[in-house]
Amino acid sequence: MKVLTVGGGGREHAAVEAFYRSGAEIYAVMKNANPGIIKRARGYRLIDEKDVQAVCGYAKECKTELAFVGPEAPLEAGLVDALENMGIKCASPTRAAARIETSKTFMRELLRDHKIKGNLGFASFDNAKDAADHIRSVKYDIVVKPVGLTGGKGVKVQGEHLHSFDDIMRYVNEIFDNNIGGAGVIIEEKAVGEEFTQMVFCDGKKISPMPLVQDHKRAYEGDVGPNTGGMGSYTDADHLLPFVTSSERKEALNIVQKIVDALRKEGCTYRGPMYGQFMLTVDGPKIIEINARFGDPEAMNVLPILRTSFTDVCMAMAAGTLTDNIEFENKATVCKYVVPEGYGVRSKAGLPISVDEEQIERCGAAAFYANVDIVNGELVTGTSRAVGVVGMAESIEDAEANCEKALEYVKGEAIFVRHDIGKKELLQRRVDHMKELRSVRR
Ligand code: AMP
Ligand code: GLY
């Protein structure tokens, strides 16, 4: 099967490895020269992934039969619509279906209009004055977000990043003045609890769950600092998380199923992986965001332990023939991203970095290349996350230890890692936090 993959990050490298394992012939398009993808691809082209015409031209040239789009920006640019028009099957959503991610207002209104559980208070604005009136009137703490896409970095939370009305309005004005996200501001109710990610495969109607993952959005150890695309993540061997019960997970899956049903009823049937970001609160799981794709880093946790052929799963998503037989190994995984210094604020980019893949494998881990590039034959960092290192084992503790051993074999200047991810202390803090919230409620 000839497969077109779109995107050059860690998530796409993980997808390419999964396609490769299942015997696909891979043709890749990406902005940067990702050596992990290049190694597995029969052909590749370095182009802007949002350049729909150029990507379609390459797909035609390679006679690809199936396409997989990793990042959100090409979905918003209508790449899937164009590929489908050419008769290429796509394991990713159309532009209209991808609005579940590309417009936070669309997502919240869909939940409201279809009476789906897990929504939060929200209101969207196209000017700062109305936003200010609303902010003064609400009784709860809030979160300020640009409505459109910002690569996971546009969210500011009251009590964490914003400490006064003036702070809030400064950020609201900044979004309008700089047109961040390009579609106004959404003010959301702040949910309190612990976050988890439930990703599913979806064929338009049916969903099939992936293991639960917990990502770490804050840049620095101890969950402080600016929001990032995600610094690292873990899964447990039983596919739950230490602070999530199976009935809470079922609730989250019910919500995702209802979203898929609502999208179909709205005339924009959703095919592809769907990503549900939840806050587990004392009132059950609340939706933080829905993404129209795999999460990054989360894809690097789940795809290496996918037992079923990824090519078959993607074909089934595209064709509407998903079954209940998708299997993952019962292994725990811990992923830590090596990122350039200053990431989340102002990255130091363009510096050499080296990855010893063989040694990393010997540690019971795998390396996924992300925002790196090859310049004059040398591997260098970009402004975003550089290399994801994923340890795998029977328990989170062992997977974390494997990840740490493997990290020794990523060397570079001006790089950093959140070493606390997957460590006992941080896991215990999450468990204790949920326990505390639940006991106050009782
Ligand atoms: P997002 O890019 O929407 O995932 O937001 C980034 C991070 O901001 C999330 O992972 C949460 O930690 C936080 N966040 C976003 N929305 C909310 C909300 N409504 N309540 C509490 N925290 C939120
Ligand atoms: N890890 C969060 C995201 O992919 O948006």
Side-chain angles (χ1 to χ4, degrees):
M1 167 89 55
K2 291 178 187 237
V3 177
L4 176 79
T5 64
V6 179
R11 163 184 51 210
E12 290 79 23
H13 181 191
V16 162
E17 286 294 336
F19 276 126
Y20 183 80
R21 272 201 326 268
S22 55
E25 192 177 313
I26 297 154
Y27 296 88
V29 294
M30 53 195 156
K31 286 194 289 284
N32 51 306
N34 181 317
I37 296 177
I38 290 172
K39 183 172 157 192
R40 299 302 193 201
R42 187 70 61 90
Y44 70 93
R45 192 156 290 172
L46 302 181
I47 44 179
D48 178 357
E49 298 137 10
K50 300 190 296 302
D51 186 340
V52 172
Q53 229 181 340
V55 178
C56 287
Y58 185 64
K60 193 169 174 192
E61 212 178 294
C62 304
K63 300 193 173 60
T64 51
E65 302 154 82
L66 173 69
F68 167 83
V69 183
E72 59 278 20
L75 299 173
E76 188 177 42
L79 180 59
V80 167
D81 309 62
L83 289 166
E84 282 182 348
N85 279 338
M86 293 166 58
I88 297 173
K89 292 240 178 293
C90 291
S92 297
T94 59
R95 188 202 319 236
R99 281 178 301 165
I100 198 69
E101 166 166 12
T102 59
S103 168
K104 293 190 161 76
T105 306
F106 174 82
M107 183 273 279
R108 293 276 172 215
E109 288 179 349
L110 189 86
L111 292 174
R112 181 193 63 198
D113 297 346
H114 290 261
K115 302 190 172 54
I116 300 172
K117 265 174 76 174
N119 207 1
L120 294 166
F122 75 100
S124 305
F125 300 96
D126 60 8
N127 68 82
K129 192 194 161 297
D130 290 349
D133 291 344
H134 172 77
I135 292 161
R136 275 196 205 91
S137 75
V138 291
K139 302 275 181 293
Y140 44 70
D141 275 1
I142 59 158
V143 177
V144 181
K145 304 181 180 186
V147 170
L149 294 178
T150 55
K153 298 166 198 92
V155 173
K156 293 204 179 182
V157 180
Q158 188 171 2
E160 291 175 40
H161 311 99
L162 308 168
H163 297 281
S164 64
F165 180 76
D166 287 351
D167 271 1
I168 292 171
M169 285 316 297
R170 214 171 294 125
Y171 187 48
V172 167
N173 281 310
E174 191 185 323
I175 294 175
F176 283 117
D177 293 348
N178 302 320
N179 199 23
I180 300 174
V185 165
I186 181 164
I187 306 296
E188 287 182 3
E189 174 186 355
K190 176 180 171 181
V192 178
E194 281 297 329
E195 282 182 83
F196 68 89
T197 303
Q198 172 68 71
M199 297 189 287
V200 303
F201 298 111
C202 177
D203 72 351
K205 264 188 167 168
K206 190 177 170 54
I207 62 171
S208 175
M210 302 186 216
L212 289 185
V213 194
Q214 187 173 44
D215 186 16
H216 297 71
K217 295 286 250 185
R218 301 302 194 276
Y220 314 129
E221 291 186 5
D223 287 327
V224 294
N227 271 319
T228 68
M231 294 295 293
S233 44
Y234 63 90
T235 62
D236 207 348
D238 61 1
H239 302 163
L240 287 171
L241 291 169
F243 54 89
V244 183
T245 65
S246 61
S247 78
E248 286 161 341
R249 183 195 197 189
K250 257 190 215 133
E251 240 183 281
L253 281 169
N254 268 335
I255 291 172
V256 175
Q257 179 69 63
K258 292 217 163 81
I259 291 172
V260 169
D261 295 342
L263 285 167
R264 199 174 58 253
K265 285 181 201 149
E266 294 285 334
C268 43
T269 299
Y270 187 101
R271 291 186 199 87
M274 186 185 273
Y275 168 112
Q277 178 75 23
F278 289 90
M279 185 74 80
L280 181 58
T281 71
V282 287
D283 299 316
K286 302 285 177 192
I287 291 190
I288 297 298
E289 65 171 350
I290 301 289
N291 290 333
R293 52 177 173 81
F294 280 107
D296 187 347
E298 290 93 331
M300 295 186 282
N301 295 94
V302 300
L303 288 173
I305 59 166
L306 175 64
R307 227 185 243 141
T308 313
S309 151
F310 186 51
T311 307
D312 289 352
V313 172
C314 285
M315 267 316 278
M317 286 196 282
T321 55
L322 213 56
T323 63
D324 288 319
N325 304 331
I326 299 173
E327 279 180 36
F328 290 86
E329 287 174 60
N330 283 101
K331 270 194 181 159
T333 66
V334 173
C335 172
K336 305 194 195 195
Y337 247 132
V338 177
V339 307
E341 250 173 42
Y343 174 60
V345 186
R346 182 186 292 257
S347 302
K348 280 190 194 163
L351 295 168
I353 184 161
S354 71
V355 180
D356 188 335
E357 291 173 50
E358 262 174 45
Q359 287 293 349
I360 287 173
E361 260 176 52
R362 278 196 201 119
C363 299
F368 296 103
Y369 292 91
N371 186 233
V372 289
D373 211 346
I374 301 168
V375 177
N376 300 324
E378 191 181 42
L379 192 67
V380 296
T381 54
T383 55
S384 193
R385 300 169 292 185
V387 180
V389 174
V390 184
M392 285 162 260
E394 305 307 314
S395 67
I396 297 177
E397 195 174 354
D398 291 347
E400 197 275 333
N402 290 352
C403 176
E404 282 294 331
K405 270 186 273 163
L407 279 165
E408 302 279 323
Y409 298 100
V410 180
K411 295 200 167 71
E413 251 176 78
I415 51 178
F416 79 96
V417 172
R418 262 193 70 172
H419 289 288
D420 61 343
I421 293 169
K423 284 229 157 76
K424 241 189 185 144
E425 300 75 51
L426 194 55
L427 288 177
Q428 195 54 48
R429 241 181 52 202
R430 311 250 185 257
V431 171
D432 292 346
H433 183 212
M434 261 341 282
K435 222 186 251 167
E436 188 192 315
L437 289 174
R438 285 175 168 133
S439 72
V440 170
R441 181 58 183 269
R442 249 182 242 125

